[in-house]
Coordinates of all heavy atoms in Angstrom, one line a residue:
A1476 N 13.6 6.7 -2.3 CA 13.3 8.1 -2.5 C 12.4 8.6 -1.4 O 11.4 8.1 -1.1 CB 12.6 8.3 -3.8
S1477 N 12.9 9.7 -0.7 CA 12.1 10.2 0.5 C 11.4 11.5 0.2 O 10.4 11.8 0.9 CB 13.1 10.4 1.7 OG 14.1 11.3 1.3
D1478 N 11.9 12.3 -0.8 CA 11.2 13.5 -1.2 C 11.7 13.9 -2.6 O 12.6 13.3 -3.2 CB 11.6 14.6 -0.2 CG 10.5 15.7 0.0 OD1 9.7 15.8 -0.9 OD2 10.4 16.3 1.0
A1479 N 11.1 15.0 -3.1 CA 11.4 15.5 -4.4 C 12.9 15.8 -4.6 O 13.5 15.6 -5.7 CB 10.6 16.7 -4.7
R1480 N 13.6 16.2 -3.5 CA 15.0 16.6 -3.6 C 15.9 15.4 -4.1 O 16.9 15.7 -4.7 CB 15.5 17.1 -2.3 CG 15.5 16.1 -1.1 CD 16.0 16.6 0.2 NE 15.9 15.6 1.2 CZ 14.9 15.3 2.0 NH1 13.8 16.0 1.8 NH2 15.0 14.4 2.9
D1481 N 15.5 14.2 -3.7 CA 16.3 13.1 -4.1 C 16.3 12.9 -5.6 O 17.3 12.6 -6.2 CB 15.7 11.8 -3.4 CG 15.8 11.9 -1.9 OD1 16.5 12.7 -1.4 OD2 15.2 11.0 -1.3
I1482 N 15.1 13.0 -6.2 CA 14.9 12.9 -7.6 C 15.6 14.1 -8.3 O 16.3 13.9 -9.4 CB 13.5 12.8 -8.0 CG1 12.8 11.7 -7.3 CG2 13.3 12.6 -9.5 CD1 13.4 10.3 -7.4
W1483 N 15.5 15.2 -7.8 CA 16.1 16.4 -8.3 C 17.6 16.3 -8.4 O 18.2 16.6 -9.4 CB 15.7 17.7 -7.5 CG 16.4 18.9 -7.9 CD1 16.0 19.8 -8.9 CD2 17.6 19.5 -7.4 NE1 16.8 20.9 -9.0 CE2 17.9 20.7 -8.2 CE3 18.6 19.1 -6.5 CZ2 19.0 21.5 -7.9 CZ3 19.7 19.8 -6.3 CH2 19.9 21.0 -7.0
W1484 N 18.2 15.7 -7.4 CA 19.7 15.5 -7.3 C 20.1 14.6 -8.5 O 21.1 14.9 -9.2 CB 20.1 14.9 -6.0 CG 21.5 14.8 -5.8 CD1 22.4 15.7 -5.3 CD2 22.3 13.6 -6.0 NE1 23.7 15.2 -5.3 CE2 23.7 13.9 -5.7 CE3 22.0 12.3 -6.5 CZ2 24.7 13.0 -5.8 CZ3 23.0 11.4 -6.6 CH2 24.4 11.7 -6.3
H1516 N 5.4 11.6 1.2 CA 5.8 12.6 0.1 C 5.6 12.0 -1.3 O 6.2 12.5 -2.2 CB 7.2 13.1 0.3 CG 7.4 13.7 1.6 ND1 8.6 13.8 2.3 CD2 6.6 14.4 2.4 CE1 8.5 14.4 3.4 NE2 7.3 14.8 3.5
R1519 N 5.0 14.4 -4.2 CA 6.1 15.3 -4.5 C 7.2 14.5 -5.3 O 7.8 15.1 -6.2 CB 6.6 15.9 -3.2 CG 5.6 16.7 -2.5 CD 6.1 17.8 -1.5 NE 7.1 17.4 -0.6 CZ 7.1 17.7 0.7 NH1 6.0 18.4 1.2 NH2 8.0 17.4 1.5
I1520 N 7.4 13.3 -4.9 CA 8.4 12.5 -5.6 C 7.9 12.2 -7.0 O 8.7 12.4 -8.0 CB 8.6 11.1 -4.8 CG1 9.2 11.4 -3.5 CG2 9.4 10.2 -5.7 CD1 9.2 10.1 -2.6
A1521 N 6.7 11.8 -7.2 CA 6.2 11.5 -8.5 C 6.2 12.6 -9.5 O 6.3 12.4 -10.7 CB 4.8 10.9 -8.4
T1522 N 6.1 13.8 -9.0 CA 6.0 15.0 -9.9 C 7.4 15.8 -9.9 O 7.4 16.9 -10.4 CB 4.9 15.9 -9.5 OG1 5.1 16.3 -8.1 CG2 3.5 15.3 -9.6
A1523 N 8.4 15.2 -9.4 CA 9.7 15.9 -9.2 C 10.5 16.1 -10.5 O 11.3 17.1 -10.5 CB 10.6 15.2 -8.2
S1524 N 10.3 15.3 -11.5 CA 11.1 15.4 -12.7 C 10.4 14.9 -13.9 O 9.7 13.9 -13.9 CB 12.4 14.6 -12.6 OG 13.1 14.5 -13.8

Side-chain angles (χ1 to χ4, degrees):
S1477 60
D1478 209 337
R1480 65 180 180 271
D1481 298 347
I1482 306 304
W1483 176 86
W1484 184 85
H1516 299 153
R1519 299 204 310 226
I1520 293 168
T1522 56
S1524 167

